[in-house]
Amino acid sequence: MRIDCKHVWEYISAYIDDEVDADLRAEIDRHLETCEICSAILDSTRNVVVLVADERVFELPAGFSERLHARLEKEMELAGPS
Amino acid sequence: MTSSNPEFEADCIRRILAGERQLFHDLIRPSERAIYFLLLSLLRNDAEAEDAAQDTAIKVYLNLKNFRGDSQFRTWVLSIARNEGLGRLRKAVTRKEDSLDAETDDQTGDYTPAVLTSWREIPSEALERQELGVMLRTAIEGLPEIYRNVVVLRDIEEMDVRETATALGISEGAVKVRLHRARALLQRELAPRLEGFAPKRKGLFGWLKP
C-alpha cells in the first residue's frame, strides 16, 4: 500500500501522540522519507505543539494562587467541616 | 504538569473529611492551573475565569464527601469547573439570546494544513520574545470553543486522552478528532507566521538534517 499526502495529514496528530499502529507508522515513515512537504508539515505541527505546551505561553495571572487560597480560607471557615 | 498521586489524594480527602480542613489547600493546588485555563477557554475573560475558578474550588470543598474515587481527583475537579463555566455561559447566553450548541463535531471545515516545503525548528528560547507568546495565545483563543477546550487540556495541561474525555464529558474518539483538527488549524494559522522566530542562519549547513 502506498499512502498519499492527504492520508498522512489525517494521521499527523495521532502520529505525534504515538497513537498509530506499527504498520501505519512504517507507511508514514516511508512516505516522509521522500516527501518534503509532509515532513515540513509534520515538523511544523510538532513544533507548534511543543511551543504551546511551554509554561511561559500560558501563565496564571499574578497573585492568582494567593487570592484563590485566601478566598478558600474564608469560605471554609464559614462553611465549617467539609 | 504535576502528575496526580491517588494515594496522597485519598489520604488527604479522608483527613479533610475528618476535620483537617487546612489540607484542602494542598489537595487543590496541583489542579489550580488546569481549572483556570479550562475556565478561561470557556469564558474568554480573565477576571471571570478567576472568579469562576474560586467558585469551583469552593464547590469542590463543599462536595468533597461526594467524590467517589472512580476517576482521578483532578478529572472530577475539572468536571465541576466545566459545569461552573457552562452555567455562567448559559446565563450570559440567556441575556444575549444566543445559542450554546452551535458547535458540533459534524461541522464540515477545512483542516488542510499550511503547505510548506521546509521547516526550521523554532526553539523554545524564542519564547523570550513576548510577541511569540502573544501570537500563540491569540491563535488558540481564535479556535472554535470545542477545539480550544481540548487543546487546553491535552496540549497545554498535558492531560491524557482519557482524562480529557472525562473532564469534558465527551468520548475519547471526540477528543482525538478535535485535537487533530485544532492542531491542523493552529499549524495553518501559525506556521507561515512563525518563520520570523527561527534562529538566524549560523553556517551554511546549520539546519540541514543529517
Side-chain angles (χ1 to χ4, degrees):
Chain A
M1 180 183 81
R2 270 308 278 174
I3 54 175
D4 61 17
C5 296
K6 278 209 170 138
H7 199 77
V8 171
W9 299 347
E10 263 171 51
Y11 288 100
I12 278 186
S13 187
Y15 182 92
I16 289 173
D17 290 337
D18 210 4
E19 278 169 3
V20 292
D21 64 41
D23 289 346
L24 182 57
R25 174 164 288 270
E27 280 298 332
I28 294 174
D29 286 339
R30 207 173 318 158
H31 179 96
L32 292 171
E33 274 171 28
T34 54
C35 182
E36 283 179 356
I37 290 173
C38 286
S39 296
I41 291 172
L42 173 69
D43 289 345
S44 57
T45 307
R46 195 176 357 225
N47 202 173
V48 166
V49 171
V50 168
L51 290 173
V52 159
D54 195 289
E55 286 186 354
R56 283 168 291 187
V57 177
F58 284 90
E59 282 179 308
L60 284 170
F64 170 86
S65 197
E66 290 76 5
R67 290 190 294 275
L68 173 74
H69 289 276
R71 171 125 186 256
L72 257 180
E73 189 58 43
K74 215 161 57 183
E75 297 279 347
M76 291 198 305
E77 208 158 301
L78 283 175
S82 177
Chain B
M1 183 75 240
T2 328
S3 60
S4 73
N5 181 340
E7 288 98 57
F8 166 78
E9 288 163 3
D11 182 53
C12 236
I13 292 168
R14 252 192 315 274
R15 291 168 60 189
I16 295 163
L17 292 175
E20 292 182 64
R21 71 169 185 231
Q22 284 308 314
L23 284 173
F24 186 72
H25 292 288
D26 301 327
L27 179 67
I28 199 77
R29 203 166 268 120
S31 306
E32 273 170 32
R33 243 190 82 96
I35 294 173
Y36 176 76
F37 286 114
L38 176 58
L39 284 163
L40 183 61
S41 172
L42 285 165
L43 301 168
R44 311 178 92 165
N45 174 293
D46 296 340
E48 191 164 11
E50 175 159 350
D51 192 54
Q54 294 181 358
D55 283 356
T56 299
I58 293 160
K59 283 182 183 165
V60 170
Y61 175 71
L62 295 175
N63 288 291
L64 198 57
K65 56 182 176 303
N66 299 325
F67 174 60
R68 294 277 165 264
D70 42 16
S71 66
Q72 284 185 47
F73 177 69
R74 184 176 57 173
T75 315
W76 181 69
V77 168
L78 289 176
S79 54
I80 293 175
R82 179 172 55 98
N83 284 333
E84 177 66 28
L86 291 177
R88 285 169 182 247
L89 279 178
R90 257 178 236 120
K91 276 185 205 154
V93 163
T94 323
R95 280 200 298 270
K96 283 192 299 183
E97 291 182 19
D98 205 348
S99 169
L100 256 187
D101 11 74
E103 292 168 1
T104 71
D105 284 323
D106 303 328
Q107 63 179 320
T108 45
D110 181 8
Y111 304 100
T112 314
V115 175
L116 316 155
T117 50
S118 67
W119 181 254
R120 286 160 57 199
E121 176 94 3
I122 315 295
S124 49
E125 292 85 76
L127 284 166
E128 299 298 335
R129 289 168 63 184
Q130 296 280 329
E131 65 264 44
L132 177 54
V134 171
M135 193 187 282
L136 294 167
R137 284 192 293 275
T138 309
I140 290 168
E141 282 158 20
L143 290 173
E145 186 206 304
I146 60 169
Y147 300 150
R148 197 167 62 232
N149 295 341
V150 172
V151 167
V152 165
L153 298 188
R154 285 282 289 129
D155 282 347
I156 299 172
E157 293 305 311
E158 300 183 304
M159 287 169 36
D160 64 26
V161 173
R162 198 169 157 189
E163 200 187 351
T164 304
T166 312
L168 295 178
I170 57 177
S171 69
E172 293 185 21
V175 170
K176 291 179 191 178
V177 168
R178 291 179 191 189
L179 184 63
H180 173 72
R181 291 178 176 176
R183 285 171 173 174
L185 292 172
L186 289 176
Q187 188 270 357
R188 187 165 67 189
E189 163 80 10
L190 290 167
R193 299 164 63 206
L194 282 175
E195 224 167 288
F197 293 94
K200 297 266 179 294
R201 184 185 280 259
K202 282 190 184 126
L204 189 55
F205 301 105
W207 57 82
L208 285 183
K209 285 180 183 170

